[in-house]
Amino acid sequence: VSAAVLPASRAQLPQAAPPRMRAFFAAAAASVGGMTLFDPDSVYRRWVLDSALFPPPPPPTNDKLELVQAHVLFRHGARAPFEDCEDQPDIWKPKLRADLRGHPPVRLRDLNDFGEVLYEGVLTHAGLAQARDLGTLLKRRYIDTGLLSANNLVLRSSLRTRTIETLRGVLKGMLPDHSAHTFDVLVGKKGKGNTHTDWLDFNIDCCPRLKDLYMHSVHEWSEDRMPEDIRPILAKVREDTALTVTGNAKKYGLIAWRDWTSCRTGSGQEQLPGVTQEKFEALEELSSKQITAWFSGAGRSLLRTELLRLAHGNTLSEVVARMSSDQGDKKLFLYSAHDWTLLPVVMMLRPNDTAPYPQYCSELTFELFREKGGEGRHFVRVIFGKGTSGPGFARDEPGAVRVEGCEGQEMCELSRFRQCVDRYRPNDYSKECGCKD
């Protein structure tokens, strides 16, 4: 073994297991009547030595790779709010509704009755423009460069008007000459357990266990249970602005305020009195922390993993399954979804970080590469683009997401990537949800 790989002395290796590993072994011993099965310090030293002796091979350089698939998971564009501050005049007029004329029509598959258009949460003109901008960005990145073909697109959407219309806007920007072409869009259905296939849309009613875990986490950071360091900030915001503790703000606080303000900014509408850009950005940062806490299982790591797995493990599984199998001539996959789709998936990839709040038409893209020449290794690169706050705000440049467990590399070998995320992929969703026959 090369001296450059092997530590100069075993004494240089960490000698004691970290507290979490000690706690794990203690729990394992307790579960079998107190019998000690393994010494945690010995196991930890063995693991560290193995990591030093057998590090994963470095990924090849980009000129030795070819792009074979891209999976783009994105949030919808700006929408009308579900509610607004009660003492403010109604600014949400019908004229703000997105005009879909001239955009490619779509045909929904596996769906019998789409129902009536909802007026709460519908896409606005600005939201449709943001979708076209995202489509133009994808066109430049993949199609104009010749990396991927737009033929045989695979289109997915949650069962929401705003996501389906956002997808039409993305198609308009990506394929401007195909406005008359009808595209098939795969959508899911509402149900319980394994019968629920609309997993791109977060829904606690599809899974009893998910509902219990999630509502417990929400209770840990809502109403009067906000962290002590957050309360003075909220009090200052209330003092300086027209934001009130009414409607959803009574139950959820920060996240409701963010929705009121972001809907106005997203569609270029007049902001609530006193809400400056600085205050809006502060609300967004705190809302990221709040939602991260809601999906964190009240701070317990095992519950956090289970909560994320039940919330969006099926979404991640769909992407991983397609990357792990030959998709023929299908190379570009678009998934029109929500902020509460992207953020939990980012949390699975970076479990120790606070995920950034996905703005309108933000994207989380999984790119699958293959070594050139024969049956080489496959690598995954994940990129995140935060999107835009609204008209007049530029889109942030996308950056690489370094997946936890991939040795800090931007390119992660597919087999290792699957190992890193496997704990979030449900085996039997109905059983894990506690659904009854």
Side-chain angles (χ1 to χ4, degrees), residues 144-415:
D144 293 349
T145 57
L147 292 174
L148 294 175
S149 169
N151 296 329
N152 300 311
L153 287 169
V154 176
L155 306 176
R156 284 278 279 115
S157 178
S158 72
L159 191 55
R160 297 284 184 179
T161 307
R162 60 184 176 276
T163 51
I164 293 169
E165 293 181 347
T166 295
L167 183 56
R168 292 177 65 183
V170 171
L171 290 171
K172 176 68 174 178
M174 191 168 65
L175 303 170
D177 298 329
H178 289 65
S179 295
H181 182 78
T182 299
F183 291 88
D184 285 333
V185 178
L186 180 64
V187 294
K189 295 179 179 178
K190 306 294 183 185
K192 295 278 189 181
N194 291 333
T195 66
H196 179 78
T197 54
D198 185 27
W199 49 66
L200 290 179
D201 188 7
F202 176 63
N203 183 352
I204 59 176
D205 292 326
C206 72
C207 177
R209 175 62 175 166
L210 170 62
K211 188 171 186 177
D212 289 343
L213 290 173
Y214 179 74
M215 294 310 298
H216 180 67
S217 288
V218 168
H219 182 63
E220 288 297 308
W221 191 343
S222 291
E223 300 176 328
D224 60 346
R225 298 178 68 88
M226 290 284 181
E228 290 295 332
D229 59 327
I230 303 295
R231 293 181 186 180
I233 301 175
L234 300 184
K236 180 63 174 173
V237 170
R238 288 182 60 188
E239 179 183 333
D240 295 345
T241 71
L243 291 167
T244 57
V245 184
T246 57
N248 283 334
K250 287 182 178 179
K251 294 171 59 178
Y252 306 124
L254 278 169
I255 194 62
W257 285 353
R258 187 205 176 272
D259 191 65
W260 299 350
T261 55
S262 66
C263 284
R264 288 170 175 249
T265 299
S267 294
Q269 297 298 293
E270 181 181 356
Q271 193 48 269
L272 288 161
V275 179
T276 62
Q277 183 61 26
E278 181 181 3
K279 285 187 171 58
F280 173 75
E281 291 174 357
L283 282 175
E284 183 165 275
E285 181 180 351
L286 293 174
S287 295
S288 288
K289 293 181 179 180
Q290 183 178 22
I291 298 181
T292 299
W294 287 0
F295 281 101
S296 292
R300 286 172 283 183
S301 58
L302 291 179
L303 293 182
R304 178 188 186 280
T305 299
E306 183 183 9
L307 201 163
L308 289 170
R309 183 172 65 245
L310 297 178
H312 277 297
N314 284 323
T315 300
L316 186 60
S317 284
E318 181 175 347
V319 174
V320 173
R322 284 176 169 155
M323 290 195 297
S324 303
S325 60
D326 183 7
Q327 297 295 309
D329 59 354
K330 296 179 176 63
K331 306 293 185 183
L332 189 53
F333 303 78
L334 305 182
Y335 306 75
S336 189
H338 306 263
D339 46 355
W340 285 23
T341 313
L342 273 66
L343 191 144
V345 175
V346 172
M347 289 179 64
M348 298 181 208
L349 305 177
R350 299 288 305 171
N352 296 316
D353 296 338
T354 296
Y357 203 104
Q359 296 174 339
Y360 294 118
C361 286
S362 51
E363 59 156 324
L364 181 64
T365 297
F366 298 79
E367 295 178 326
L368 180 67
F369 294 85
R370 178 176 57 210
E371 287 181 312
K372 294 179 180 177
E375 297 296 324
R377 293 177 295 169
H378 286 76
F379 293 84
V380 177
R381 178 172 70 178
V382 184
I383 58 177
F384 176 77
K386 196 176 179 182
T388 177
S389 296
F393 292 86
R395 290 184 63 88
D396 288 346
E397 287 295 320
V401 178
R402 299 184 185 275
V403 178
E404 190 80 19
C406 289
E407 307 296 328
Q409 299 286 340
E410 183 176 321
M411 292 285 186
C412 185
E413 192 166 0
L414 177 59
S415 59

